[in-house]
Amino acid sequence: MKKHNSRNKIASCVLYLAGSVTAQSVLAGGLVEELIDKTTFFGQVRLDAAYNTSGSENPYNQSDVPFQDVEVSRQAFLPPDLGGGRWGDVPIPALPFVLDTRDTVRRSDRLPENNYDFTQTILRFNGEMNTKFTRNLSLNIKVRALFDPEVNAGFDAMDVQNDQGGIAGGGGDRYADTGRTNFYQAKGRNGKNINPFEIAGRDYMLDFPTFILNYKTGKYDFRFGNQQIAWGQAVFFRTLDVANGLDFRRHLILDRAIEEYEDERTPKLAFRATMQATSNITADAFVGKFQPDVLPNPNSQYNVIPSQFYRPLDNYYSGDFDKKLDFGIRIKADYGNFGWQAMAVSRYNSLGVFRWAESGINKGLTPFGGTVGAVVETAYAAKPKCSGSQNPYDNFCRLYDSVGEALSHTPFTVGPGGVYSDKEWFSTASSVRLDGLDALNTAIGDFEALRDVFASPAANATEAAALLNTFFIGAGGSIRGQVQRDYYREQVFGLGGSYVNETEDIDSFWNQVIINLEVQYTPERVYTSPDLGKNGLTSDEYIFTAVAEKWHRWSETFPSAYLVAQYMHRSESDLVGLHLSGYGGNVGNTDYKRSDGISGADYLVFAGFQPWPNKKFVAEWAFLYDIRGGILAQPLIKWNPGSGLSVDLFYNYIKSNIRGDSADTLTRSLDHIQEVGLRIAYQL
């Protein structure tokens, strides 16, 4: 075994921990030496970096949300409950130096600037240990350790602690105890790590993507431990690959696409059994602990959750989803040039369903909301307390002792860094495939406490704007929102077929082209509703994927190139699982447009790589095209100078409006990303 001195303390520590359990339990020195001889170690240190070339910031973070640097006029109106007719009918008259009911807000004047020139800077160690105890029994451990040196520190809630009383809850901002951006911790509602095999802080994480005890005997193969189960085979697409969720924290889906989610699959504690039933047929089954998708935290570089909202309250533990099991079976067969497979999986959808949630934060309008806030507080206190079957909507009465207590039972709380205007509200909602008008009315309908503080449903965008701006002025600036995530079981069925084409001319381009067709059907799948309703949105979905791939040698000089072309159709959701009914809303700094949705999503992919004759260079590419007009292009050049060193230089280019309406494309959500990426790896 090759010995070396590693300067990476994390790597040394992990290798020590991985080997200590076995070493300490063995009494005979000879057996220790024998096990060491049967153990192999692999290690890699790596730098992952990316530099933003778009000139735009992430629109989900505080630095560049919709209407960030735009002046927006706001006017407070008399609520209908207080004799105002409909929302927007009766403006509250302004009294100079006494009652300020109209103002102009410019979001950037109220918040510190936080730019992300470097969208990624990660120092990383990957390690693997394989120990073969006997001819049948082996242990495989993979470890992943990351450290972010914080070239961009991100938003700090402490910078706004004197504005509107600061961002309440969880040590400043519910992102980290310090109030600074939390890059890696993923916690449930009760504060426990969602991934039990992970140790993480705000700028580091260490986990075990693989920790498997493997036993093989005859035609059987048993694997128990933390593992990934990859049944599908497609770049960007996951049709039959449904056993594991995805971890989007490190680089979303913008790593080397050709790696097919190898670094993104969320490992799960599972038992997996494979049986070679006949010479042609293989049966594969698993049962494992449910593990959800892990989303980037607010204000991190690749965040996709609007930072005007608190991090979603994840009900993974509080809903007992950590005790739920996923299970599935797949049968695969090959007969000469033909093959087929079938699978059935019962699982909890790993993306989950988001809906409005109570904030739990008791914080009133005074003294932050000025005179308008004081008027609302006074009017609320003047209402008699509700009794018996009375409710605040039908009876002029109040449920709670104060506005702050009432707001604690709604999804909204007073605080800086939230939503400041009606225009920001509508654009932010649309950016995450929600409908701003419907989401507002659903919150009012689902939370009686909102109706208690004079909110009432809006008939149209004009009324909604009047309602929203009244409350923003009354709050003294902005209001922050709160959502939660739940999970629903679903039954996923899949069929696949493959064919290897052979031609009489062995030099023909079409010779040895492998064609794969995969179909997934999921009845009554539950999605996040565009109105954030508590019951979600339920619909049957089918997904169809066609893949053609081959190795082709263009000349005797160059090695064979790998080429793959793919097509996917999804009937109900987009590539990340959001329902298509939320598509079609307004984009960026534009007026409200209802999200009418689209009927089906279609994507094309062309990817591959071509090694140079000396294999020191490899050209690689991956293109994802949304047929409604969006594109993600990733050209890459790989350099292998030798001595265990490799360098990848690539570019991620995303555009949502090559043609058509950008609101109808998947890439609209990532339109701000144009970056030069660099990966430098050294094999230990």
Side-chain angles (χ1 to χ4, degrees), residues 69-87:
D69 294 301
V70 180
E71 290 187 348
V72 179
S73 297
R74 305 185 302 186
Q75 169 70 57
F77 290 85
L78 193 67
D81 285 357
L82 297 179
R86 306 271 326 160
W87 277 108

Side-chain angles (χ1 to χ4, degrees), residues 12-28:
S12 301
C13 178
V14 169
L15 292 176
Y16 169 78
L17 291 174
S20 64
V21 175
T22 303
Q24 292 175 9
S25 63
V26 177
L27 300 178

